[in-house]
Amino acid sequence: MKVMEKYKEMAFWPKMFINFILILAIFLLITVLSNVGIISNYYQGIMLSICINVILVVSLNITTGFLGQLTLGHAGFMAVGAYSGAFLSKNLMGTLPDPLIFLLAIIVGGVVAMAFGVIVGVPTLRLKGDYLAIITLAFGEVIKNILLNLNIVGGASGYIGIPRYTNFLWAYWLAVITVVLSIALINSRHGRAIVSIREDEIASEASGIDTKKFKILAFVFAAFFAGVAGCLYAHYMGILEPKTFKFDKSIEILVMVVLGGMGNIKGSIISAIVLTVLPQLLVSVSGYRMLLYALALIIMMLFKYDPTLVKLINNIKNRFKKVRG
Amino acid sequence: MMNVLEVKDLGINFGGLRAVDHFNLTIEQGELYGLIGPNGAGKTTVFNMLTGVYAPSDGQIMLQGKTLNNLSCHKIAQLGIARTFQNIRLFKDLSVIDNVKIGLHERYNYSLVSSLLKTKKYFLMEQQMEKEALDLLEVFRLHTYAHIKACNLPYGKQRELEIARALATHPKLLLLDEPAAGMNPQETEELMEVIKNVRKKFNISILLIEHDMKLVMGICEKITVLNYGSVLLCGTPDEVVNDPRVIKAYLGD
């Protein structure tokens, strides 16, 4: 049977190996093209942003899409990770080899964000829906305001002089790790427990699942990767400003999640790519940029499940299958 | 014979309302027990107290000698009381087999690290889980539907899937809240067979709430009648059906 195969170790690893080769090939292609100069610095920057956004969107999808809890404070976790990672690497700069410092900064950024995930999550995850959304929104704003007044990390004038360690290698592979771990989580008993909470919390409890524990697990998992993404961002820009992590940023990530599809990791990756590239493409029409962006979003949402479009996509899929086998 | 469930003087207040009062119940190993009563008598409230959804105001609930008061829902489920719901609560967007696997969650305990790194243990456990889930579905002849979404099952099958999911937690006592609600006579007939088979095959006790008297009288060995939150009568189906107080409670004077 097809699904029995899914859990056979023998069938699993060769498939993963092929996936790995594909992922590696894409990486090498982009690296080579960048080094030769076919991909300009500008596009390299966009690709870096894509990787960071993929991490943010996939991780937010764990809480919003799979756990089914609307959280609006993802930028808050990102900020916590960014500042803590940057603080560490700025103070350690020169004492250790650069990659080691960066790795340490990423881990610390993630872990600190995770700790905040626990602090915020334990008391608030009793709430649901709108209430949780408002609390997490407040959390994001509180973090921003604390950072504005925290002189040790620059306060309102920004945290400057962060070593710019982030390059495509780091961003790409961290995005890959995030996606792989997220998929692994979802396809396990832990992931099933998380999804069951979204589907019906009462039935989930009645089936013997400790819903509080799994809510926190999902929340903390997402917070960790938001922290990692923040850390990548900090070491990419070299400067951090609290206002980057405004409410708008959380919404921006949420829009990507919603567009890609709640509980759909592939969709998250695609929408992270599309919605990172789209604003850049619209630079040429500067004045109408936000207008067109909003319009594009509305059109995409309207037609995502349009029967003719779904049919068209299925046709293409089937043709593709025929060609392959 | 050991008692699976013992409930002593159970009561609950909702504000000033005494919803259930001095409720007593004893279920023996392997017994099929019915809980009936007019609408609003407090039957589902009793279920909710047994499964930890509501905390009883007074009284004691004991499962095989273990006190269950003040334990959370999932703890009680893990200790061995499983239930179905009056209005079906399936994980609608998940496949039929995943619904059962969520019930098996506590049985196959591998760590988060195993999940994330896909260790040998993960594959071993998932494979065993898959097998047990399919076996369980086969009992209800649901295995051919294993990979369709639960919400696409016909109504009667959804009810059975809910029972299958409850059984996946390996309960000692199964609570069925109006399992025949909304079923046609033929489906009810089938359900009676299923319930009998389940008890035999899994060697468990069953407590069910039901309005369909044919079903209750047909399969229950003992019945408790609840009216206005307190026990009106407790006895065999024959005793209950011939008691004037029961008729009065249902039909009035």
Side-chain angles (χ1 to χ4, degrees):
Chain A
M1 248 174 128
K2 198 175 136 220
V3 172
M4 281 300 261
E5 290 280 293
K6 190 169 147 199
Y7 298 109
K8 284 214 174 104
E9 208 175 350
M10 305 304 251
F12 179 79
W13 290 115
K15 224 173 130 192
M16 278 300 106
F17 184 69
I18 294 170
N19 286 345
F20 177 75
I21 296 287
L22 278 174
I23 292 166
L24 186 68
I26 295 171
F27 173 72
L28 289 177
L29 186 73
I30 294 174
T31 315
V32 167
L33 289 181
S34 311
N35 285 344
V36 175
I38 296 175
I39 298 179
S40 67
N41 274 339
Y42 171 66
Y43 286 109
Q44 285 176 35
I46 293 178
M47 273 188 285
L48 253 164
S49 307
I50 288 176
C51 293
I52 293 172
N53 280 339
V54 164
I55 299 176
L56 287 168
V57 177
V58 169
S59 61
L60 183 63
N61 209 342
I62 298 285
T63 40
T64 310
F66 290 98
L67 181 66
Q69 307 290 334
L70 182 60
T71 60
L72 296 177
H74 217 51
F77 294 119
M78 189 187 170
V80 170
Y83 273 87
S84 52
F87 184 75
L88 184 91
S89 60
K90 201 177 160 186
N91 285 308
L92 281 183
M93 204 167 34
T95 56
L96 291 166
D98 287 354
L100 195 64
I101 294 177
F102 192 31
L103 185 68
L104 221 60
I106 285 168
I107 293 170
V108 167
V111 170
V112 173
M114 211 158 109
F116 272 79
V118 175
I119 294 167
V120 180
V122 170
T124 59
L125 282 172
R126 302 157 184 275
L127 303 171
K128 270 179 222 166
D130 313 352
Y131 302 102
L132 182 69
I134 288 167
I135 288 280
T136 49
L137 189 155
F139 160 75
E141 291 301 294
V142 167
I143 290 292
K144 192 197 81 189
N145 282 318
I146 289 175
L147 289 172
L148 267 175
N149 294 298
L150 210 60
N151 286 326
I152 193 167
V153 288
S157 55
Y159 195 33
I160 51 169
I162 303 162
R164 301 185 61 175
Y165 292 140
T166 303
N167 52 28
F168 187 66
L169 177 102
W170 281 94
Y172 185 82
W173 289 108
L174 282 171
V176 169
I177 288 171
T178 309
V179 172
V180 168
L181 288 184
S182 298
I183 294 174
L185 177 75
I186 293 309
N187 287 330
S188 67
R189 69 190 268 271
H190 303 91
R192 271 195 298 270
I194 288 169
V195 176
S196 78
I197 295 172
R198 174 190 76 194
E199 292 290 310
D200 193 319
E201 201 172 330
I202 294 172
S204 176
E205 272 278 331
S207 306
I209 285 166
D210 188 346
T211 52
K212 275 196 202 99
K213 185 176 125 191
F214 283 99
K215 274 184 183 177
I216 303 251
L217 172 71
F219 207 63
V220 165
F221 187 89
F224 177 82
F225 286 105
V228 168
C231 202
L232 276 173
Y233 177 82
H235 294 85
Y236 167 52
M237 300 304 284
I239 174 167
L240 283 176
E241 282 176 290
K243 71 170 198 285
T244 320
F245 305 104
K246 272 195 306 198
F247 172 59
D248 306 32
K249 181 73 188 170
S250 298
I251 294 294
E252 190 190 317
I253 306 165
L254 187 67
V255 166
M256 292 183 189
V257 171
V258 173
L259 188 81
M262 296 278 196
N264 182 347
I265 288 182
K266 263 186 224 161
S268 286
I269 299 168
I270 294 169
S271 81
I273 295 171
V274 171
L275 292 189
T276 313
V277 173
L278 190 66
Q280 304 294 335
L281 291 180
L282 293 175
V283 166
S284 52
V285 286
S286 54
Y288 299 103
R289 190 171 136 205
M290 285 325 279
L291 188 72
L292 286 175
Y293 181 72
L295 204 65
L297 275 182
I298 293 169
I299 290 171
M300 280 192 264
M301 291 307 267
L302 277 180
F303 292 105
K304 198 165 68 161
Y305 292 112
D306 182 72
T308 39
L309 189 70
V310 171
K311 214 170 138 192
L312 186 75
I313 291 171
N314 282 339
N315 277 344
I316 295 169
K317 263 190 201 160
N318 288 339
R319 194 161 298 172
F320 195 62
K321 264 183 202 153
K322 261 185 216 155
V323 172
R324 282 212 308 197
Chain B
M1 226 13 153
M2 191 179 174
N3 291 334
V4 172
L5 184 79
E6 248 176 284
V7 178
K8 279 188 208 133
D9 286 332
L10 198 66
I12 188 168
N13 303 320
F14 293 121
L17 178 78
R18 185 87 177 152
V20 173
D21 189 35
H22 287 292
F23 179 78
N24 289 293
L25 183 71
T26 307
I27 299 179
E28 288 172 11
Q29 170 64 37
E31 205 166 26
L32 228 166
Y33 207 107
L35 181 61
I36 63 170
N39 286 333
K43 306 179 295 287
T44 300
T45 308
V46 167
F47 264 34
N48 283 339
M49 283 191 280
L50 293 181
T51 52
V53 177
Y54 298 148
S57 310
D58 41 59
Q60 203 182 20
I61 305 168
M62 300 222 291
L63 182 76
Q64 293 187 329
K66 230 186 210 157
T67 309
L68 298 184
N69 293 44
N70 301 323
L71 288 179
S72 53
C73 283
H74 66 269
K75 209 79 218 160
I76 291 176
Q78 287 165 16
L79 284 173
I81 297 184
R83 74 174 292 182
T84 65
F85 296 87
Q86 193 172 351
N87 42 346
I88 304 177
R89 283 181 180 274
L90 286 173
F91 306 122
K92 289 195 195 76
D93 280 335
L94 299 185
S95 66
V96 169
I97 195 165
D98 276 350
N99 269 273
V100 178
K101 279 186 189 169
I102 288 164
L104 289 170
H105 178 87
E106 275 301 315
R107 295 278 134 196
Y108 293 90
N109 210 335
Y110 57 84
S111 69
L112 183 62
V113 178
S114 294
S115 300
L116 294 181
L117 301 181
K118 304 267 182 199
T119 58
K120 269 205 155 53
K121 199 171 174 195
Y122 165 85
F123 287 103
L124 193 73
M125 288 281 186
E126 283 293 330
Q127 226 177 319
Q128 289 171 358
M129 223 168 167
E130 179 100 359
K131 194 174 173 304
E132 190 178 342
L134 280 172
D135 287 348
L136 197 57
L137 286 175
E138 206 165 343
V139 175
F140 295 90
R141 280 164 301 172
L142 277 164
H143 56 291
T144 47
Y145 301 109
H147 302 296
I148 69 166
K149 270 190 187 179
C151 60
N152 293 335
L153 283 179
Y155 185 79
K157 288 283 170 198
Q158 289 194 13
R159 285 258 172 224
E160 288 179 6
L161 176 57
E162 215 187 7
I163 299 174
R165 182 183 68 192
L167 286 171
T169 62
H170 292 220
K172 297 172 181 112
L173 173 69
L174 178 63
L175 309 182
L176 302 174
D177 198 344
E178 294 200 29
M183 284 187 170
N184 61 34
Q186 192 210 335
E187 281 176 321
T188 309
E189 201 81 17
E190 277 175 32
L191 184 75
M192 281 167 75
E193 284 309 307
V194 166
I195 293 173
K196 278 188 206 159
N197 281 340
V198 161
R199 174 176 60 159
K200 213 161 56 192
K201 198 168 160 63
F202 296 90
N203 190 28
I204 54 171
S205 317
I206 297 175
L207 172 64
L208 61 88
I209 293 176
E210 189 48 73
H211 279 302
D212 191 317
M213 283 306 143
K214 204 173 133 231
L215 185 138
V216 178
M217 297 304 159
I219 59 174
C220 292
E221 284 136 11
K222 250 179 141 184
I223 293 170
T224 287
V225 187
L226 209 57
N227 194 25
Y228 293 117
S230 46
V231 177
L232 189 69
L233 180 71
C234 176
T236 63
D238 282 332
E239 286 166 16
V240 168
V241 90
N242 294 319
D243 195 291
R245 282 176 298 171
V246 176
I247 297 164
K248 193 178 150 196
Y250 268 92
L251 300 176
D253 288 310

